[in-house]
Amino acid sequence: MSSAVTDATILERLKQLQINHAEVISHAPVKGSAEWKAELSISSPTLSETLLTKTLLFKPKTAKSATPTPVMVFAQDTTETPSAAIGKLLELKELRLASEDLIKEVLPSAATKDDVSALALPKPVPQTLHLILDAALAQSEEQHAVHLTASSTTVLLKGSDIKSYLDSLLENGEGVKVVDFAELKASAPAPAEKKPAAPKEKKPAAAAASTGPEDDKYEMAIRFKKEEDFSGWYTDVLLKGQMIDYYDISGCYILRPWSYSIWQTIQNWFDDEIKKLGVNDCYFPMFVSRARLEKEKDHIEGFAPEVAWVTKAGKSDLEEHIAIRPTSETVMYPAYAKWINSHRDLPLKLNQWNSVVRWEFKNPQPFLRTREFLWQEGHTAFLEKAEADKEVLDILKLYQAVYQDLLAVPVIPGKKSENEKFAGGDYTTTVEGFIPTSGRGIQGATSHHLGQNFSKMFDITVQSPVKSDDRLYVYQNSWGLSTRTIGVMVMTHGDDQGLVLPPRVALQQVVVVPVGLSKVEGKNQAIYDACLNLERELVAAGIRAKADLREGYTPGWKFNDWELQGVPLRLELGPKDIAANSTLSVRRYDNFKTPLPLADIANRVRTYLTEIQASMLARATETFDSRLKTVTNWDDIVPTLDAKNVLVLPWCEDSQCEDDIKERSKGQATHGVAEDSKAPSAGAKSLCIPFDQKRFGPFPDGEEQKCVQCGKKAKSWTLFGRSY
Amino acid sequence: MSSAVTDATILERLKQLQINHAEVISHAPVKGSAEWKAELSISSPTLSETLLTKTLLFKPKTAKSATPTPVMVFAQDTTETPSAAIGKLLELKELRLASEDLIKEVLPSAATKDDVSALALPKPVPQTLHLILDAALAQSEEQHAVHLTASSTTVLLKGSDIKSYLDSLLENGEGVKVVDFAELKASAPAPAEKKPAAPKEKKPAAAAASTGPEDDKYEMAIRFKKEEDFSGWYTDVLLKGQMIDYYDISGCYILRPWSYSIWQTIQNWFDDEIKKLGVNDCYFPMFVSRARLEKEKDHIEGFAPEVAWVTKAGKSDLEEHIAIRPTSETVMYPAYAKWINSHRDLPLKLNQWNSVVRWEFKNPQPFLRTREFLWQEGHTAFLEKAEADKEVLDILKLYQAVYQDLLAVPVIPGKKSENEKFAGGDYTTTVEGFIPTSGRGIQGATSHHLGQNFSKMFDITVQSPVKSDDRLYVYQNSWGLSTRTIGVMVMTHGDDQGLVLPPRVALQQVVVVPVGLSKVEGKNQAIYDACLNLERELVAAGIRAKADLREGYTPGWKFNDWELQGVPLRLELGPKDIAANSTLSVRRYDNFKTPLPLADIANRVRTYLTEIQASMLARATETFDSRLKTVTNWDDIVPTLDAKNVLVLPWCEDSQCEDDIKERSKGQATHGVAEDSKAPSAGAKSLCIPFDQKRFGPFPDGEEQKCVQCGKKAKSWTLFGRSY
């Protein structure tokens, strides 16, 4: 892999070619031409009329073992560049837009998929890359807006200069391949047969414009197979399933109602439960003074590199820089010291629903690693350690229920190792999930016992109720659950057709779709009425149902649309169904079809949804269980990990031994023969020491069992795995 | 008023007196000695043992017309400085801790009440100020920590040097008055009879230490009369009623469960209602790029000086500064442009529950003016203007219901004048409240119709469903309700005993207090059991009730405590009540007492709470109505305002005329004879043009009615007043 080209490199190349250009324009990163135009017009109103360009990177289908031969197309923004026609021209199969991984390989300078610019190609351009230039662009003497290495910089170049530039990067002696797309279009093959059925009726004009057949294909289908390109699949499913949208600040995403409603369901359920435990909600400011933040040195050490700082208000520089909370221990505990004076002030149990900010510089991933995320953080204080210990587990049970009962995601409750526990706490309990597709463990939520560490730091004391001279430090817990839950749920249940939502958390549980429609206008009213009646009956029974009576779309198109969005149950209603007083039900998670009598339909559907919820959990649990592999021989560890399993090891629970396991398993993975470039080759770390030790049976060697790594006495079956 | 003393002035004075001192220590602002100590120890561990000082400012009771004669006491932190004894010594009555207003008058440099430092007194010290120095401090040769002008700076000075410093500020020729507080204490008068009854039983040690009689008085009673010092009263009621607590960043407050639960009640109710209107919740990032923020110039102009900017993450400077949202129009509307393509994507109705940041530099006030506040912001888009117009009013009705039905606060719905509408919108509707104590109007919540202004700016268009070539700009609304609601509620209902909460929003609706207890141990179990049974019966019926069985506190102490917190209904249970199968009920808002039979008590209480809710609204409405004064003669305007009324004027609705009214009414107020220094002398602005014009009757001059200010034709009865 060549090193990244910088903006300076590009400008130097232009200079050497004696290509004149105006000053480089810096602006906010842009996605798409509308935003680009808007940004240019901020810089100068006249620029809003500039011709724009686009660089597309495609990946043709190739044998797994073959070197990939990506195709880059550099064109005027308005030129139609149909991938099928390009494929035909180059004799390549099934061109798809490249994944972020491939983009990075071709253009190491690209930080995101919006930063694809042909100007940033290395010199010489690798021979495996097909580079194509739009003739309309190559032949133009007009100025075109082109990005340098990132979508936040623009330079204006004449079309002919762009051609010279690209020519200079190639060593093929022929220069860049110029393609007349207008001409090419005429010879394009028919659209692939896989695309969702386009509306058969004539669509109203507006719909035709925004969801024409070509658009449909691009808009609707998930572009990646879950098993082939998991991270591409994940983002695509979230975007097209309308869970999230991109935002113009890296690492931040818009949570659309389809995902936010899931969070609200979790909130409502969990909030009710903790209120039963005597926890009250409150709200502390999002800002933290530097002094407060830095008070607990060990604690803050982990967060410090990721803290966002406010240093200005309006045009004034703030005298004291102010942090945005990465978590609220140091925000809340000074107040606890003030409020807790007598043992009667205990227990103090507070919770907050808020957002926290951790400005990570690693690759962001929606729900799993974002710079701002939503969570709840509970902070409680007790007189007795035993009360605190009990609450740690009470809360963990609720977290387990959020995953299993609401999201149909199996988790294993247990205790974190010393290496993996919350810094500054006494011990951490966790519910650990598993993503079968990547074979990685994922931490679901944690409930910490902080002991007296923070109360000593913040001087949170009460007088002893028995011996008045003694000041007692309180025992504290903290516990948190975040929107990461939603990401784990999507990864667990989603498939190549899109999202699959468990009924309990789906904003819409049932969609009613009219089928068998007549093309004769006015003939379908009876079917529509039947659909609306069905919707009403279900809604009246508290089921979140909706009839999809949108005109201008075929039933097939609607099926695809709702499958993409993961609605748990589809009910089809056509003339034959109505005649039979029945509806054909199709459940999303396994596509199973069965007719349901319309008599007493609300109760039938309610029962069915409950069954679906249970089956989804059962299926996911079966998968998780089948990937939990007891390993007692070191040599089996890496192959078992490579087969996407989680390990259950007899382990000594020693901190140094955990480091050694991580290091040894990593080293072996890197030297493995069958290494796939996309497989995670990271070492295995401990996920948790499960509370339920019995499920893994007695140690094979009983009392004499040795730790699989160091040979010391084993203390417990412990989960180890690669993880998020 | 003299100009503010700066830190530099103080250091210069010390230099001139040849007082040596170590370097000035800067730290986070501190409240109280624990925080101060903590901050000093961050600076250097050895400093944690430093002797601290305190400066207290008292206001004695004086005739309203008399010049105030404040008393400042500068003492070692550990010295007891009883106000009664000081009052006796100086022959002044009823010393109370000074309000923020008085602090500012004496020490213009003090930004908050924590910045009171004798070092910052002007030179010469005004003769009206009594300055007292603690003898223990004056005679000490040890280093003492003293604040400069703010609680965020510390200088170490010898006690004797402090005396020299204060002597130099006085022109009385005698130097500062030194008082031996240990000696003074011996001659102190008995505690005032008004203080809440101290526990009569011997309290357990812990309670005695934290809530001894002296502490009780200080901790519990509201230090200001609502009618005498409204702003002092307001803050004190919020702090002691446990609604908020201070925070170490100016303009930010902690929302404790007692207030946050009210916000949650509002949230739950309002969220259910808007969901019925088809609105979905979502979450957009709190961060905004500069380009986005500045896109709509008119809109952002109002917010720009208050925007908080993140410029650093960890130790890295961010290339692009990032704003924290002051509101989300420019955050959300680019996404709307993306999501809205067809008329089928309309209406789009989204709402967010979040916090926004406006870094105001004016005096902060909890709930009314804070740098971060919680709110909901609804943003909707429609194809037809008529749909949007309808929604504006649907939402306004919900806002009215939040105030009237939940918070028992009357409001008047109407339309804002051109001057007062939301910049960038077409028109603004509002519910306007009224604070009788200050005689000021207060904007309750607003619902805006944005017209096509934003859709044109952000290019949010759909193809016309009738004429396919046309792109139609959508019509938009935005509407918001914030935690300001809670502030208005407290100001409306609270009294000199503390908070008064309406039953529908009170976290605790009923407190059950055991009375008539025996001093013989073990004799009271029957009473406690009866209290717990009563609690259980009420809770089972869905009433938020709690029995207060805390030992070591007298019933009287508990009564005060719950009155302070505003619990709507108190039920007393003693041996006589139990014998009569009855409980004495005391309602908080008017202290009305009546026995309630215990038979069917849950239903009785439920009905009674409903009555209380209604009566509280009725009482507040009566007050508001009585202060709405129709004025048709200009000369009556200022006197009517000065009498703490809101004006109902025949008005021409002209923008320039509104400016003139504001200017003319201000001018006259300033020159009024009976001007009270604390009365708001600001000009009157329009609050709203009430939708219900009929309630004010026809214009006296009918069709010929002239505007009260400019004499042009009057268009409507319009509310004018001084306002928040």
Side-chain angles (χ1 to χ4, degrees):
Chain A
M1 188 183 285
S2 49
S3 67
V5 168
T6 66
D7 287 353
T9 319
I10 297 173
L11 296 174
E12 181 59 31
R13 288 175 184 170
L14 289 168
K15 200 170 154 195
Q16 285 181 2
L17 295 167
Q18 300 185 318
I19 296 174
N20 293 320
H21 58 89
E23 213 173 305
V24 174
I25 303 153
S26 291
H27 46 75
V30 297
K31 295 178 196 304
S33 46
E35 285 190 22
W36 197 359
K37 249 183 199 170
E39 289 299 332
L40 292 177
S41 69
I42 289 174
S43 164
S44 159
T46 56
L47 285 175
S48 60
E49 297 308 310
T50 315
L51 295 169
L52 302 182
T53 60
K54 63 183 172 189
T55 306
L56 301 171
L57 189 66
F58 295 97
K59 180 187 171 298
K61 190 173 181 177
T62 47
K64 281 229 162 182
S65 55
T67 317
T69 53
V71 179
M72 185 178 280
V73 177
F74 194 25
Q76 283 188 332
D77 182 55
T78 50
T79 302
E80 279 187 53
T81 54
S83 57
I86 300 170
K88 195 178 174 197
L89 178 77
L90 300 176
E91 298 183 336
L92 293 167
K93 280 194 291 187
E94 291 186 29
L95 264 59
R96 295 165 189 276
L97 283 175
S99 67
E100 295 218 3
D101 287 349
L102 182 59
I103 289 172
K104 284 236 163 93
E105 214 169 293
V106 176
L107 294 168
S109 65
T112 78
K113 64 166 202 42
D114 300 306
D115 298 323
V116 177
S117 166
L119 296 194
L121 281 170
K123 176 176 179 174
V125 172
Q127 303 220 344
T128 49
L129 178 79
H130 299 275
L131 183 59
I132 290 178
L133 182 61
D134 174 13
L137 180 56
Q139 293 152 12
S140 169
E141 290 302 307
E142 290 214 66
Q143 299 284 347
H144 286 74
V146 190
H147 291 308
L148 298 182
T149 60
S151 76
S152 57
T153 46
T154 300
V155 65
L156 299 182
L157 297 174
K158 281 198 289 191
S160 54
D161 284 341
I162 290 172
K163 180 170 186 313
S164 312
Y165 180 96
L166 294 181
D167 286 346
S168 78
L169 300 184
L170 291 160
E171 286 189 328
N172 61 3
E174 298 169 18
V176 62
K177 184 175 186 81
V178 176
V179 172
D180 184 334
F181 282 97
E183 194 178 294
L184 189 68
K185 205 182 166 188
S187 62
E193 65 290 351
K194 267 194 186 168
K195 102 183 143 65
K200 283 176 193 155
E201 300 92 334
K202 189 175 172 338
K203 290 200 285 178
S210 63
T211 54
E214 274 304 311
D215 281 340
D216 279 356
K217 186 188 175 191
Y218 182 80
E219 287 286 334
M220 281 191 68
I222 303 297
R223 286 183 291 143
F224 308 94
K225 300 279 180 209
K226 188 177 182 184
E227 291 296 333
E228 284 173 14
D229 183 346
F230 188 41
S231 79
W233 170 88
Y234 177 64
T235 313
D236 216 28
V237 152
L238 292 177
L239 286 168
K240 293 188 178 146
Q242 302 192 11
M243 298 280 268
I244 63 157
D245 208 335
Y246 285 125
Y247 191 65
D248 75 335
I249 293 174
S250 173
C252 294
Y253 302 91
I254 298 164
L255 301 192
R256 302 181 69 176
W258 210 248
S259 63
Y260 191 77
S261 61
I262 296 174
W263 184 238
Q264 282 188 315
T265 302
I266 293 172
Q267 277 190 306
N268 290 337
W269 183 86
F270 186 76
D271 208 56
D272 281 352
E273 292 298 321
I274 59 175
K275 279 185 176 150
K276 291 180 200 161
L277 296 177
V279 178
N280 278 315
D281 289 329
C282 62
Y283 189 79
F284 279 71
M286 70 156 87
F287 296 116
V288 201
S289 65
R290 181 182 288 272
R292 283 271 173 95
L293 186 72
E294 291 174 355
K295 187 153 180 174
E296 216 294 52
K297 305 273 181 201
D298 284 350
H299 169 63
I300 203 55
E301 211 171 88
F303 296 111
E306 300 170 359
V307 170
W309 291 96
V310 175
T311 70
K312 282 179 64 178
K315 291 192 185 305
S316 316
D317 291 320
L318 298 185
E319 266 183 54
E320 292 268 348
H321 293 183
I322 290 172
I324 303 177
R325 64 178 158 224
T327 177
S328 301
E329 276 78 2
T330 58
V331 171
M332 295 171 80
Y333 297 167
Y336 280 40
K338 192 169 160 189
W339 296 337
I340 297 173
N341 293 294
S342 154
H343 65 94
R344 287 175 219 193
D345 301 325
L346 295 174
L348 180 64
K349 304 183 184 181
L350 296 181
N351 178 63
Q352 291 197 73
W353 295 98
N354 59 23
S355 77
V356 290
V357 171
R358 298 175 189 175
W359 207 266
E360 301 210 47
F361 291 94
K362 281 181 275 187
N363 263 343
Q365 201 163 18
F367 298 116
L368 301 196
R369 192 186 297 121
T370 58
R371 285 178 169 173
E372 180 191 8
F373 61 85
L374 302 177
W375 76 344
Q376 62 67 221
E377 47 176 332
H379 296 268
T380 53
F382 300 86
L383 184 62
E384 304 287 351
K385 182 174 188 305
E387 299 172 89
D389 285 336
K390 178 175 184 307
E391 191 210 51
V392 165
L393 295 182
D394 287 344
I395 295 295
L396 199 72
K397 282 214 180 77
L398 296 179
Y399 288 157
Q400 185 172 5
V402 166
Y403 275 99
Q404 302 198 164
D405 300 346
L406 298 183
L407 303 172
V409 170
V411 287
I412 294 182
K415 196 174 152 177
K416 284 283 186 188
S417 70
E418 279 300 302
N419 283 12
E420 296 293 328
K421 76 172 188 187
F422 179 61
D426 266 13
Y427 63 85
T428 290
T429 67
T430 179
V431 289
E432 291 289 317
F434 174 68
I435 306 298
T437 316
S438 62
R440 295 195 191 201
I442 187 160
Q443 180 178 301
T446 46
S447 177
H448 314 289
H449 178 56
L450 307 178
Q452 296 176 311
N453 303 337
F454 284 87
S455 64
K456 283 179 180 164
M457 181 63 61
F458 287 90
D459 199 23
I460 311 173
T461 61
V462 297
Q463 239 171 345
S464 163
V466 287
K467 200 175 153 201
S468 67
D469 293 346
D470 281 5
R471 295 299 293 176
L472 303 178
Y473 290 100
V474 304
Y475 291 90
Q476 290 178 270
N477 294 335
S478 74
W479 26 273
L481 177 87
S482 79
T483 38
R484 154 175 286 216
T485 42
I486 299 173
V488 176
M489 181 205 75
V490 170
M491 288 182 161
T492 301
H493 300 299
D495 63 24
D496 289 344
Q497 276 64 56
L499 292 171
V500 181
L501 300 180
R504 273 190 76 174
V505 297
L507 179 57
Q508 188 177 331
Q509 298 171 312
V510 176
V511 61
V512 179
V513 180
V515 298
L517 295 173
S518 162
K519 284 178 191 174
V520 182
E521 215 168 303
K523 274 273 183 190
N524 293 319
Q525 199 54 48
I527 302 178
Y528 291 158
D529 288 347
C531 288
L532 282 176
N533 282 337
L534 181 50
E535 174 192 302
R536 263 184 234 119
E537 195 171 341
L538 296 173
V539 168
I543 295 162
R544 298 187 290 275
K546 210 170 149 58
D548 180 357
L549 303 187
R550 288 180 290 179
E551 287 186 40
Y553 296 93
T554 63
W557 191 93
K558 290 179 182 177
F559 296 170
N560 279 321
D561 194 31
W562 294 110
E563 281 173 9
L564 197 56
Q565 294 202 57
V567 168
L569 190 65
R570 178 173 85 226
L571 298 179
E572 302 176 10
L573 259 190
K576 287 180 194 162
D577 304 292
I578 295 171
N581 200 30
S582 170
T583 174
L584 183 66
S585 72
V586 185
R587 59 185 189 209
R588 173 66 183 88
Y589 89 92
D590 64 353
N591 210 33
F592 177 76
K593 293 175 193 181
T594 186
L596 292 179
L598 284 174
D600 197 24
I601 186 69
N603 280 325
R604 284 180 207 278
V605 167
R606 186 182 299 110
T607 308
Y608 203 32
L609 291 174
T610 309
E611 273 174 42
I612 290 172
Q613 178 84 27
S615 312
M616 286 178 68
L617 176 61
R619 185 173 75 167
T621 304
E622 202 179 317
T623 307
F624 191 176
D625 289 351
S626 73
R627 302 285 194 87
L628 275 175
K629 302 287 188 190
T630 303
V631 174
T632 53
N633 178 355
W634 178 265
D635 291 339
D636 296 335
I637 282 186
V638 173
T640 310
L641 286 174
D642 284 347
K644 298 189 178 174
N645 295 300
V646 165
L647 309 170
V648 186
L649 307 180
W651 187 47
C652 63
E653 299 187 12
D654 179 83
S655 196
Q656 179 59 45
C657 177
E658 173 159 7
D659 289 342
D660 293 344
I661 291 175
K662 198 167 186 175
E663 201 49 40
R664 274 178 75 188
S665 58
K666 181 162 61 185
Q668 295 192 350
T670 310
H671 297 107
V673 195
E675 191 193 353
D676 173 7
S677 67
K678 281 195 180 163
S681 62
K685 66 178 190 181
S686 77
L687 306 175
C688 74
I689 302 162
F691 292 131
D692 180 8
Q693 288 282 314
K694 285 190 187 149
R695 69 177 287 187
F696 307 111
F699 284 139
D701 295 344
E703 288 287 309
E704 302 304 306
Q705 184 66 47
K706 291 193 167 105
C707 170
V708 69
Q709 201 276 139
C710 69
K712 280 188 295 195
K713 188 169 159 47
K715 288 189 181 159
S716 61
W717 288 115
T718 303
L719 296 192
F720 274 82
R722 291 165 182 152
S723 81
Y724 282 86
Chain B
M1 188 184 284
S2 49
S3 67
V5 167
T6 65
D7 288 353
T9 319
I10 296 174
L11 296 173
E12 183 57 31
R13 288 174 182 171
L14 288 168
K15 201 170 153 194
Q16 285 183 358
L17 295 167
Q18 300 186 316
I19 296 174
N20 292 319
H21 56 88
E23 213 172 307
V24 173
I25 304 153
S26 290
H27 46 76
V30 297
K31 294 179 198 303
S33 47
E35 286 190 24
W36 197 358
K37 246 181 201 166
E39 290 300 331
L40 291 177
S41 70
I42 290 173
S43 163
S44 159
T46 56
L47 283 176
S48 62
E49 296 307 313
T50 314
L51 294 169
L52 304 181
T53 58
K54 64 183 172 191
T55 306
L56 302 170
L57 188 66
F58 296 98
K59 179 187 171 298
K61 190 173 184 180
T62 46
K64 283 228 161 180
S65 55
T67 318
T69 53
V71 178
M72 185 178 280
V73 176
F74 193 28
Q76 284 188 334
D77 181 54
T78 49
T79 302
E80 278 185 54
T81 54
S83 57
I86 300 169
K88 198 178 170 197
L89 178 75
L90 301 175
E91 298 184 337
L92 294 167
K93 279 195 291 186
E94 292 186 27
L95 263 61
R96 295 164 190 277
L97 283 174
S99 67
E100 297 218 1
D101 287 349
L102 182 59
I103 289 172
K104 286 238 166 67
E105 215 168 289
V106 175
L107 294 168
S109 63
T112 77
K113 63 164 203 47
D114 300 307
D115 299 324
V116 176
S117 165
L119 297 192
L121 280 171
K123 178 175 178 175
V125 172
Q127 302 220 344
T128 49
L129 178 79
H130 299 275
L131 182 59
I132 289 178
L133 180 61
D134 174 13
L137 180 55
Q139 292 153 11
S140 168
E141 290 301 307
E142 290 215 63
Q143 299 284 347
H144 286 75
V146 189
H147 291 309
L148 297 182
T149 59
S151 75
S152 57
T153 47
T154 300
V155 65
L156 299 183
L157 296 174
K158 279 197 290 191
S160 55
D161 283 341
I162 291 173
K163 181 171 185 313
S164 310
Y165 180 94
L166 295 181
D167 285 346
S168 78
L169 301 183
L170 292 161
E171 287 188 327
N172 61 3
E174 298 169 17
V176 63
K177 183 175 185 84
V178 176
V179 171
D180 185 334
F181 282 96
E183 194 177 294
L184 189 68
K185 203 182 166 188
S187 61
E193 64 289 351
K194 268 193 188 167
K195 101 183 144 61
K200 284 177 193 153
E201 299 92 336
K202 190 179 170 339
K203 290 200 286 180
S210 62
T211 53
E214 273 305 311
D215 281 342
D216 280 355
K217 187 187 174 190
Y218 181 79
E219 288 284 336
M220 282 191 69
I222 303 297
R223 285 182 291 141
F224 308 93
K225 301 280 178 205
K226 189 177 183 187
E227 291 295 333
E228 284 173 12
D229 182 345
F230 188 39
S231 78
W233 170 88
Y234 177 64
T235 313
D236 215 29
V237 152
L238 292 177
L239 286 167
K240 294 189 179 146
Q242 303 192 10
M243 300 280 268
I244 64 158
D245 209 335
Y246 285 127
Y247 192 66
D248 75 334
I249 293 174
S250 174
C252 295
Y253 302 90
I254 299 164
L255 301 192
R256 302 182 69 177
W258 210 248
S259 64
Y260 191 76
S261 61
I262 296 174
W263 184 238
Q264 282 188 314
T265 302
I266 294 173
Q267 277 191 306
N268 291 338
W269 183 86
F270 186 76
D271 209 56
D272 281 352
E273 291 298 320
I274 59 175
K275 279 184 176 152
K276 290 180 200 161
L277 296 177
V279 178
N280 279 315
D281 288 327
C282 63
Y283 190 80
F284 279 71
M286 70 156 88
F287 296 116
V288 199
S289 66
R290 182 182 289 273
R292 284 271 171 94
L293 186 72
E294 291 173 356
K295 187 152 180 176
E296 216 293 54
K297 307 273 179 195
D298 285 349
H299 169 64
I300 202 56
E301 211 171 89
F303 297 112
E306 300 170 358
V307 169
W309 291 95
V310 175
T311 69
K312 283 180 64 178
K315 290 192 186 305
S316 317
D317 290 320
L318 299 184
E319 266 183 54
E320 293 266 350
H321 293 183
I322 290 171
I324 303 177
R325 65 179 157 224
T327 177
S328 300
E329 277 78 5
T330 58
V331 172
M332 295 172 79
Y333 297 166
Y336 281 39
K338 192 169 162 188
W339 297 337
I340 297 172
N341 294 295
S342 154
H343 65 93
R344 287 175 221 192
D345 300 325
L346 295 174
L348 180 63
K349 304 182 185 182
L350 296 181
N351 177 63
Q352 291 196 74
W353 295 98
N354 59 23
S355 76
V356 290
V357 171
R358 298 176 190 174
W359 207 267
E360 301 210 47
F361 291 93
K362 283 181 276 187
N363 262 344
Q365 199 163 19
F367 298 115
L368 300 197
R369 192 187 297 121
T370 59
R371 285 178 168 172
E372 179 191 8
F373 61 88
L374 303 176
W375 75 347
Q376 62 67 221
E377 46 176 333
H379 296 268
T380 53
F382 301 86
L383 184 63
E384 304 287 351
K385 181 173 188 307
E387 301 171 88
D389 286 335
K390 179 176 182 308
E391 192 209 50
V392 165
L393 294 183
D394 287 344
I395 296 294
L396 199 73
K397 282 216 182 72
L398 297 179
Y399 289 156
Q400 185 172 5
V402 166
Y403 274 99
Q404 300 197 164
D405 301 346
L406 298 183
L407 303 173
V409 169
V411 288
I412 294 182
K415 196 172 152 178
K416 284 284 186 188
S417 70
E418 279 300 301
N419 284 13
E420 295 293 327
K421 77 174 189 186
F422 179 61
D426 267 12
Y427 64 85
T428 290
T429 67
T430 178
V431 289
E432 292 289 317
F434 174 67
I435 307 298
T437 317
S438 61
R440 296 193 189 203
I442 187 159
Q443 179 178 301
T446 47
S447 177
H448 315 288
H449 177 55
L450 308 177
Q452 297 176 311
N453 303 338
F454 284 87
S455 64
K456 284 178 180 164
M457 180 65 59
F458 287 91
D459 200 25
I460 310 174
T461 60
V462 297
Q463 240 169 347
S464 163
V466 287
K467 200 176 153 198
S468 66
D469 292 346
D470 282 4
R471 296 298 293 176
L472 302 178
Y473 289 99
V474 304
Y475 292 89
Q476 292 179 270
N477 294 336
S478 73
W479 27 272
L481 178 86
S482 78
T483 38
R484 155 177 285 218
T485 43
I486 299 173
V488 176
M489 182 204 73
V490 169
M491 288 182 161
T492 301
H493 301 301
D495 63 23
D496 288 345
Q497 276 65 56
L499 292 170
V500 181
L501 301 179
R504 274 190 75 173
V505 297
L507 179 57
Q508 188 177 330
Q509 298 171 311
V510 176
V511 60
V512 179
V513 180
V515 297
L517 297 173
S518 161
K519 286 178 188 174
V520 182
E521 216 168 301
K523 273 275 181 184
N524 294 318
Q525 199 53 48
I527 302 178
Y528 290 159
D529 288 347
C531 289
L532 282 175
N533 282 338
L534 181 50
E535 175 191 300
R536 264 183 231 119
E537 195 172 341
L538 295 173
V539 167
I543 295 163
R544 299 188 289 276
K546 207 169 152 58
D548 180 357
L549 303 187
R550 286 179 290 178
E551 287 186 41
Y553 296 93
T554 62
W557 190 94
K558 291 178 182 176
F559 296 171
N560 279 320
D561 193 31
W562 294 110
E563 280 173 11
L564 197 56
Q565 293 202 58
V567 169
L569 190 64
R570 179 172 85 226
L571 299 179
E572 301 176 11
L573 260 190
K576 286 178 195 164
D577 305 292
I578 295 171
N581 199 32
S582 169
T583 173
L584 182 67
S585 72
V586 185
R587 62 186 189 208
R588 172 66 183 87
Y589 90 93
D590 64 353
N591 210 35
F592 177 76
K593 294 176 192 181
T594 187
L596 293 178
L598 284 174
D600 197 25
I601 186 69
N603 280 326
R604 283 179 208 278
V605 167
R606 188 183 297 109
T607 308
Y608 203 33
L609 291 174
T610 309
E611 273 174 40
I612 291 173
Q613 179 86 26
S615 311
M616 286 178 68
L617 175 61
R619 186 174 73 168
T621 305
E622 200 178 320
T623 306
F624 191 175
D625 289 351
S626 72
R627 303 285 195 87
L628 277 174
K629 302 287 187 188
T630 304
V631 174
T632 53
N633 178 354
W634 178 267
D635 292 339
D636 296 335
I637 284 186
V638 173
T640 310
L641 286 173
D642 285 347
K644 299 187 176 174
N645 295 300
V646 165
L647 309 171
V648 186
L649 306 180
W651 186 47
C652 63
E653 298 187 11
D654 179 81
S655 197
Q656 180 58 46
C657 178
E658 175 159 6
D659 289 341
D660 293 344
I661 292 175
K662 199 169 187 173
E663 201 48 39
R664 275 178 75 188
S665 58
K666 182 160 62 183
Q668 295 193 346
T670 310
H671 298 107
V673 196
E675 193 195 349
D676 174 9
S677 67
K678 280 193 180 165
S681 62
K685 65 178 191 182
S686 78
L687 306 174
C688 75
I689 301 162
F691 292 131
D692 180 8
Q693 288 282 313
K694 285 190 189 150
R695 69 177 288 188
F696 308 111
F699 284 137
D701 296 343
E703 289 287 310
E704 301 303 308
Q705 184 66 46
K706 290 192 166 104
C707 170
V708 67
Q709 199 274 140
C710 69
K712 280 189 292 194
K713 190 169 157 48
K715 288 189 182 159
S716 61
W717 289 115
T718 303
L719 296 193
F720 274 83
R722 290 163 181 154
S723 81
Y724 282 87

